[in-house]
Amino acid sequence: MSLAVRHTQRLELRRTPFLACRADPRFSYCLYVPPRAPAGPRPLLVVVHGDRRTAERYRDALTDFADAHGCVVLAPLFPVGVPEPEDVLSYKRLRRRDVRFDLVLLRMIEEAAARWPVRADRFLLHGYSGGGLFALRFSYLHPARLVGVSVGAPGSITRLDPALPWPAGIADVAEKFGVTHPLHAPPPSSVPVDPPVPVHVTVGALDTRQLRRPPHHTRLDQALALHRHLLERGVPATLEVVPGIAHNGFALLPAATRFLSTLLPDG
């Protein structure tokens, strides 16, 4: 065994460094792998950062949860400036030019599953702020890949509305992403349909700063509107407004993990 291989194996224990995504090295990801967990593929929780790109901090904040449930945590990093200089927003919209951020995440998961005993077919997903928008929109495009999704403090929302273009609605998702969703395009009765993905919406009760874009809603307004909309569309959605909290993703993690733990085998 070469020195380089032995060094790489040591780095793979518990908290990993950031690993370049082999499918597209402009992106990277880090993991937490619990040292003690049941044999066989472990559940996977993906946590998506907000605009500050604090991916590693979110990974570290979830280590106790991972240890308690034998769950691997994967935190992707979508850096500013891809695919265009100073590009901050595109990752949360899932596509910009030829970059499909949703597919980049799926490739990261495939790569992780090739190195660690991780269940890659279906996983838990949580995102905060911009990451919350990523998580919500990913659940619309890839419902079969998710056990459940927690959406934290979204600044805007995407509705399951076939009359509105992406990202406000889902009118053109087949054209943009090559996928359809059974909630807005029911298949023939002979085709089985998976039940909707459980969605958890969480926001701080004090997250009431008006957003810059018209109509200048607050994130609290957006979370309440998203919850109502999902229920109207038959999605099993729950809402948790956390008292005493403004716009703070780490303060929302306990609410998110309480929900996600109910979807794990030991929950």
Side-chain angles (χ1 to χ4, degrees), residues 14-249:
R14 299 199 180 196
R15 293 175 177 84
T16 74
F18 277 95
L19 306 170
C21 179
R22 293 193 295 273
D24 190 335
R26 293 176 295 180
F27 305 100
S28 59
Y29 58 98
C30 63
L31 298 96
Y32 177 73
V33 183
R36 298 179 181 86
R42 303 176 186 182
L44 175 65
L45 167 59
V46 174
V47 57
V48 184
H49 58 70
D51 288 352
R52 294 289 182 180
R53 269 70 179 179
T54 53
E56 189 174 20
R57 288 185 61 199
Y58 279 105
R59 187 274 310 269
D60 291 345
L62 289 165
T63 56
D64 289 344
F65 174 84
D67 286 335
H69 297 281
C71 180
V72 173
V73 177
L74 184 151
L77 175 60
F78 300 113
V80 173
V82 180
E84 298 170 347
E86 308 303 323
D87 189 326
V88 176
L89 305 177
S90 290
Y91 82 100
K92 67 185 75 172
R93 296 173 179 169
L94 304 192
R95 179 171 186 172
R96 177 66 175 171
R97 295 190 175 182
D98 62 341
V99 179
R100 285 281 303 274
F101 296 89
D102 57 327
L103 299 185
V104 170
L105 175 59
L106 291 176
R107 291 299 298 272
M108 292 175 179
I109 292 170
E110 292 172 4
E111 292 176 14
R115 301 176 73 164
W116 292 275
V118 175
R119 183 176 177 183
D121 57 336
R122 298 183 71 219
F123 53 92
L124 301 170
L125 179 61
H126 170 66
Y128 163 72
S129 196
L133 290 175
F134 180 101
L136 175 67
R137 291 161 179 166
F138 186 97
S139 74
Y140 290 172
L141 300 184
H142 305 282
R145 300 300 303 270
L146 296 177
V147 179
V149 58
S150 177
V151 179
S156 61
I157 61 175
T158 296
R159 299 176 185 273
L160 290 165
D161 187 339
L164 296 175
W166 188 268
I170 53 173
D172 48 357
V173 292
E175 174 187 346
K176 286 183 175 294
F177 299 99
V179 299
T180 57
H181 191 281
L183 286 175
H184 78 278
S189 58
S190 60
V191 178
V193 177
D194 291 332
V197 176
V199 179
H200 173 252
V201 182
T202 184
V203 66
L206 304 182
D207 202 346
T208 55
R209 181 179 178 181
Q210 287 191 333
L211 301 172
R212 295 178 181 179
R213 294 183 179 181
H216 304 297
H217 293 306
T218 70
R219 287 184 171 83
L220 178 59
D221 295 332
Q222 296 288 59
L224 296 175
L226 175 61
H227 179 242
R228 288 194 302 268
H229 173 74
L230 293 175
L231 290 179
E232 291 169 357
R233 291 303 177 113
V235 177
T238 59
L239 173 69
E240 188 165 356
V241 179
V242 182
I245 300 301
H247 196 56
N248 185 329

